Amino acid sequence: MASLIAPSKHNPIEDAEALQRAVKGWGADENAIIAILGHRNGTQRTQIRQAYYDLYQEDLIKRLESELSGDFERAMYRWILEPAEREALLANIALKNANMNYHVIVEISCVSSPDELFIVRRAYHNRYKRCLEEDVATNTTGHLRQLLLGLVSSFKYGGSEVNARLAQHEADILHEAIKNKNHNHEEVIRILTTRSKTQLVATFNRYRDDHGIAITKKLLDEGSDDFHKAVRIAISCINDHSKYYEKVLRNAMESDGTDEDALTRVIVTRAEKDLEDIKKVYYKRNSVHLEHAVAKKTSADYKKFLLTLMGKEE
Amino acid sequence: MASLIAPSKHNPIEDAEALQRAVKGWGADENAIIAILGHRNGTQRTQIRQAYYDLYQEDLIKRLESELSGDFERAMYRWILEPAEREALLANIALKNANMNYHVIVEISCVSSPDELFIVRRAYHNRYKRCLEEDVATNTTGHLRQLLLGLVSSFKYGGSEVNARLAQHEADILHEAIKNKNHNHEEVIRILTTRSKTQLVATFNRYRDDHGIAITKKLLDEGSDDFHKAVRIAISCINDHSKYYEKVLRNAMESDGTDEDALTRVIVTRAEKDLEDIKKVYYKRNSVHLEHAVAKKTSADYKKFLLTLMGKEE
C-alpha cells in the first residue's frame, strides 16, 4: 500500500499558479511547495509540470532546482519525475558514481515488474540517448557485468506457474555453485537472470528446506566481493523487497552520519507504491516507527517533505 | 518494400467462409487457400482467424495443419501467424533443434527493430509461458551463450546519433580482439550487444577504412566455431540484412538438396516487409531472378504459395 496521501481530484492549473507564487520573489515558500507536490501522485505531478510550462514557458523542475537546495532539493527533484523517469535517473546517477552503486541497478531490475523495467529502459533512451545496458556494460567487467547486464536486460515471464522439479534441480545447482566457490558463476547468473520471480522464489524455498539455511545467509559466508554482494541483493529483492528496503533504511540511519541518498531513494520511490508495507516491516524489526526514526535523523524542509511522503503530517 | 500483394479492403467473414469451403470434404482446395491467404497481410489474416473461429468454433490454423502437408503446410503454418508470433515460433523451433540453429536467434535479434524485438519476446511469453532468454540460456554455454543472451535481451537505442570517436575506439578494440584471437570475447560481446545499430555501422565502416577489409571477411580467417559464426552473422544482419538474406537464400538453393526450412523462413518473414529489396539484391548478385531460382527448386503447392508471396503469379 502507498503511503502518499493525494486528493482524487486536483486542478493542475491552480496547482501551477500556487507553485509559481511559492517560487517567485526572494526565497521560496517551501511549506507551500511541500503542501502541493507532497500530495500529488505521478500523473498529477506530470499534469502540473505541463500546466506550469503552458502558463509560464518555464520548466518547473529547473525552477525548483534553482530555488531549493541540499537534500530537500535532491529529494524534490527525484519526486517530481514520473516513476520510470526517476528510476532511469537513479540508474544513471549510480552508474556515474566513481565506485559504481551496483545495488541500485540490482534493485531497479529485480523489484520492478518485467513491464515496469521495460518502461524504465525506454525512459533511459529518452533521457540519455543511449541504452541502459550500454552504460552498465561500460562501467563493469567480468561476472559482475554479466549478472548486471542479465538483470537489467531481462524481460522475465510474469506468470505464476511453478515447476517444482526445476526448482529442486536449480536449488541443487545453486548449492553446488556455492559449495565449490567461484566455480560456476555462469549457472548462478543464468538462473537469476532468466527464471521468473515465482520460479525463483520456489527455488530459494527449496534451498532453505534442503539445507536449513536461507541462501542469502549462506552466501554471506562465501564472499564479500562485488559479485557476491550483487547476487545477495538480487536474491533479497526477488524474495521479499519490503524486507530488503527495510534493511536499506535501517542501514541508512544506523550509522552516526545518515545516508541521505539511500533514505531519499527508498522513500521517494516507494511512497506511491508500497511504503506502508515497508513501514510495517520496519516497525516489526526495530520496534520504532519509521517516521520517528526518520524525524530523528533529518531536519527542516527535508524532514517535513519525507514525513509528508510517508503520510505523516507533523 | 514488401512483395506481398494484398487488397486494401477485404471481408474477413467472406474469407473465412471461402476457406471453410476449401477445407471441407475430401481433400482441400489448395489453390483457393493460396488465392486467399497468399494475398492477405498480418492484420487481415488475424481477422480471418477470428472470423473463422466465430463462425465454426474451430481454430483455422489447426484445421489447415490437418488438411495440408509437407513443406506447403509448414510454410502456411508460419505465414498465417502474426509476425511477432511467427518469430517466437521460429526462435523456439531453432532452440529445440538438436544442433541449435543459433543463426535464427541472431537473425531475429539483429534484424528486428528494438521495439519489434520486444514484441517478439512478449509473444514468446504468451506462447510458451517462459521467456526467450530462459530457453536461449539453457541451450547454450560460454561465450556463445553470453552473445546470444545479450542480443535477444537487448533494447538498443534507436536514434540516429553517431559518436565518431567512439566508433574509432571500438573499431580498434575489435581489431585487437580479432588479432589476438579469443582473448577479448567479452569486449566484442559488449560492443555488439549494447551499441545502437547506427553506431555499430559507423564502427564497422571505421574498421574497413582503417584495415582495408570488411570485419566479417577478417573474422572468416579467424575461426569457424559457433561463437565466431554467430558474431559474423550478427555483424552481417546489422550491416545490411538484405545482403544477409540474399546469402541465406543462395545457400539454401545452391546445394543439390534444397534447404526448404531456410527458404520458407526468409520468404515468409520478409514477404510483407522488404522481400522486394532482397529480390533486387539477389538478382544483382546472381543474374537470375529469385522467383526463377525458387520455381526451379520447388514444386506443386509449395512452389505456387512461395511465388504468390513473392508477388509473382504463375
Side-chain angles (χ1 to χ4, degrees):
Chain A
M1 209 182 107
S3 61
L4 176 74
I5 300 167
S8 54
K9 280 184 187 178
H10 81 130
N11 183 328
I13 294 173
E14 284 175 16
D15 283 347
E17 287 168 346
L19 284 167
Q20 218 272 329
R21 285 193 296 278
V23 293
K24 80 174 172 197
W26 284 95
D29 179 352
E30 284 85 0
N31 284 340
I33 295 171
I34 294 172
I36 300 166
L37 291 173
H39 290 290
R40 298 291 181 272
N41 64 34
T43 317
Q44 295 171 336
R45 295 193 304 276
T46 301
Q47 289 168 342
I48 294 172
R49 275 164 71 182
Q50 187 59 51
Y52 190 92
Y53 186 81
D54 293 344
L55 287 168
Y56 310 109
Q57 279 74 56
E58 186 185 50
D59 183 350
L60 175 59
I61 297 186
K62 291 226 169 87
R63 182 61 186 258
L64 288 171
E65 254 191 305
S66 75
E67 296 286 340
L68 313 177
S69 65
D71 293 324
F72 176 48
E73 181 246 312
R74 275 190 291 277
M76 184 57 85
Y77 183 84
R78 281 151 184 67
W79 171 247
I80 202 168
L81 300 174
E82 288 185 59
E85 225 183 332
R86 182 197 303 134
E87 310 256 287
L89 172 83
L90 290 170
N92 185 259
I93 292 174
L95 290 166
K96 282 194 305 194
N97 195 306
N99 39 5
M100 218 268 271
N101 287 318
Y102 55 81
H103 58 273
V104 175
I105 306 293
V106 177
E107 241 176 67
I108 292 172
S109 316
C110 295
V111 175
S112 309
S113 74
D115 280 299
E116 283 170 349
L117 178 58
F118 181 70
I119 300 171
V120 173
R121 294 170 80 187
R122 194 187 286 288
Y124 203 95
H125 283 193
N126 294 339
R127 211 177 157 93
Y128 302 107
K129 311 288 170 212
R130 288 191 304 277
C131 72
L132 174 55
E133 302 94 281
E134 221 164 333
D135 286 353
V136 170
T138 44
N139 284 286
T140 49
T141 53
H143 286 117
L144 182 65
R145 178 196 275 176
Q146 244 179 291
L147 176 67
L148 295 184
L149 271 183
L151 293 175
V152 297
S153 308
S154 68
F155 178 56
K156 294 188 165 194
Y157 177 61
S160 60
E161 294 88 343
V162 167
N163 180 334
R165 280 181 56 191
L166 188 68
Q168 178 69 65
H169 178 58
E170 297 195 334
D172 292 344
I173 294 180
L174 293 174
H175 176 66
E176 282 301 311
I178 295 173
K179 215 177 61 180
N180 298 330
K181 293 192 184 181
N182 303 345
H183 279 271
N184 213 348
H185 285 356
E186 304 273 336
E187 282 296 280
V188 174
I189 294 170
R190 175 186 65 75
I191 294 170
L192 287 182
T193 59
T194 67
R195 297 301 183 197
S196 78
K197 242 180 223 201
T198 332
Q199 180 68 33
L200 283 173
V201 170
T203 302
F204 302 150
N205 286 337
R206 194 66 263 151
Y207 183 98
R208 198 179 38 212
D209 290 347
D210 287 354
H211 305 289
I213 182 171
I215 184 165
T216 40
K217 289 234 169 64
K218 186 74 191 163
L219 275 163
L220 206 55
D221 308 333
E222 299 307 320
S224 61
D225 56 300
D226 284 351
F227 176 73
H228 277 90
K229 274 190 210 156
V231 168
R232 277 214 313 281
I233 295 171
I235 296 176
S236 301
C237 288
I238 291 164
N239 238 338
D240 185 342
H241 69 259
S242 297
K243 270 194 183 171
Y244 166 78
Y245 282 125
E246 182 281 324
K247 198 174 168 191
V248 173
L249 290 168
R250 180 154 39 89
N251 289 343
M253 296 187 288
E254 222 166 34
S255 53
D256 285 344
T258 308
D259 180 351
E260 283 87 4
D261 276 350
L263 190 58
T264 299
R265 188 177 83 247
V266 178
I267 294 181
V268 160
T269 55
R270 308 318 296 179
E272 48 188 327
K273 287 181 174 158
D274 52 11
L275 195 53
E276 276 305 314
D277 309 320
I278 298 168
K279 277 160 69 175
K280 278 185 198 132
V281 177
Y282 189 92
Y283 183 74
K284 207 174 153 197
R285 173 69 175 73
N286 302 283
S287 308
V288 174
H289 287 291
L290 180 60
E291 295 91 329
H292 291 155
V294 170
K296 226 171 128 183
K297 287 287 189 173
T298 55
S299 65
D301 299 320
Y302 178 54
K303 170 179 164 183
K304 189 176 289 179
F305 182 46
L306 292 189
L307 291 178
T308 303
L309 294 183
M310 295 166 84
K312 179 93 178 174
E313 306 293 339
E314 276 187 284
Chain B
M1 211 182 105
S3 61
L4 177 74
I5 300 167
S8 55
K9 280 183 188 177
H10 81 129
N11 182 326
I13 294 172
E14 284 175 15
D15 283 347
E17 288 168 345
L19 284 167
Q20 218 271 329
R21 284 193 297 276
V23 294
K24 80 174 172 196
W26 285 95
D29 179 353
E30 283 85 359
N31 284 339
I33 296 171
I34 294 172
I36 300 167
L37 291 173
H39 291 290
R40 298 291 182 273
N41 64 34
T43 318
Q44 294 170 339
R45 295 193 304 275
T46 301
Q47 289 168 345
I48 295 171
R49 275 164 71 182
Q50 187 58 51
Y52 190 93
Y53 186 82
D54 293 344
L55 286 169
Y56 310 109
Q57 280 74 54
E58 186 186 49
D59 183 351
L60 175 60
I61 297 187
K62 291 227 169 86
R63 182 61 186 259
L64 287 171
E65 254 191 306
S66 76
E67 296 287 340
L68 312 177
S69 65
D71 293 322
F72 176 48
E73 180 246 312
R74 276 190 292 277
M76 184 57 85
Y77 183 84
R78 282 152 184 67
W79 171 248
I80 202 167
L81 301 174
E82 287 185 60
E85 223 182 333
R86 182 197 303 135
E87 310 256 287
L89 171 83
L90 290 170
N92 186 259
I93 292 174
L95 290 166
K96 282 194 304 194
N97 195 307
N99 40 5
M100 217 268 271
N101 288 317
Y102 55 81
H103 59 273
V104 175
I105 306 293
V106 177
E107 241 176 67
I108 293 172
S109 316
C110 296
V111 174
S112 310
S113 75
D115 280 298
E116 282 170 350
L117 179 58
F118 182 70
I119 299 171
V120 173
R121 293 169 80 187
R122 193 187 287 287
Y124 203 94
H125 283 193
N126 294 339
R127 211 178 157 92
Y128 302 106
K129 311 289 169 210
R130 289 190 304 276
C131 72
L132 175 55
E133 303 94 281
E134 220 164 334
D135 286 352
V136 169
T138 45
N139 284 285
T140 49
T141 53
H143 285 117
L144 182 65
R145 178 197 276 176
Q146 244 179 290
L147 175 67
L148 295 184
L149 271 183
L151 292 175
V152 296
S153 308
S154 67
F155 178 55
K156 295 186 167 196
Y157 177 61
S160 59
E161 294 89 342
V162 166
N163 181 332
R165 279 182 55 192
L166 187 69
Q168 177 69 65
H169 178 60
E170 298 195 334
D172 292 345
I173 294 180
L174 292 174
H175 176 65
E176 282 300 312
I178 294 173
K179 215 176 61 180
N180 299 330
K181 293 191 184 180
N182 303 344
H183 279 271
N184 212 349
H185 285 356
E186 304 274 335
E187 282 295 280
V188 174
I189 294 171
R190 176 187 64 75
I191 294 170
L192 287 182
T193 60
T194 67
R195 296 303 183 196
S196 77
K197 242 180 222 200
T198 333
Q199 180 68 33
L200 282 173
V201 170
T203 303
F204 303 150
N205 286 337
R206 195 65 264 151
Y207 184 97
R208 199 179 37 213
D209 290 346
D210 287 353
H211 305 288
I213 183 172
I215 185 166
T216 39
K217 288 233 169 62
K218 186 73 190 164
L219 276 163
L220 207 54
D221 309 333
E222 299 307 321
S224 61
D225 56 301
D226 284 351
F227 176 73
H228 277 89
K229 274 189 210 158
V231 168
R232 278 213 313 280
I233 295 171
I235 296 176
S236 300
C237 288
I238 292 164
N239 239 338
D240 185 342
H241 69 258
S242 297
K243 268 193 184 172
Y244 167 78
Y245 282 125
E246 182 280 325
K247 199 173 167 191
V248 174
L249 290 168
R250 180 154 39 90
N251 289 343
M253 296 186 288
E254 223 166 34
S255 53
D256 285 343
T258 307
D259 180 352
E260 283 86 4
D261 276 349
L263 190 58
T264 300
R265 188 177 83 248
V266 178
I267 293 181
V268 161
T269 54
R270 308 317 296 178
E272 48 188 325
K273 287 181 175 158
D274 52 10
L275 195 54
E276 277 303 315
D277 309 321
I278 298 168
K279 277 160 70 176
K280 277 185 199 132
V281 177
Y282 189 93
Y283 184 73
K284 208 174 152 197
R285 172 69 176 72
N286 303 282
S287 308
V288 174
H289 288 291
L290 181 60
E291 295 91 329
H292 291 156
V294 171
K296 225 171 129 183
K297 287 286 189 172
T298 55
S299 64
D301 298 321
Y302 178 54
K303 170 178 164 182
K304 189 175 288 177
F305 182 45
L306 292 190
L307 291 178
T308 303
L309 294 184
M310 295 168 83
K312 179 95 178 175
E313 306 294 336
E314 277 187 284

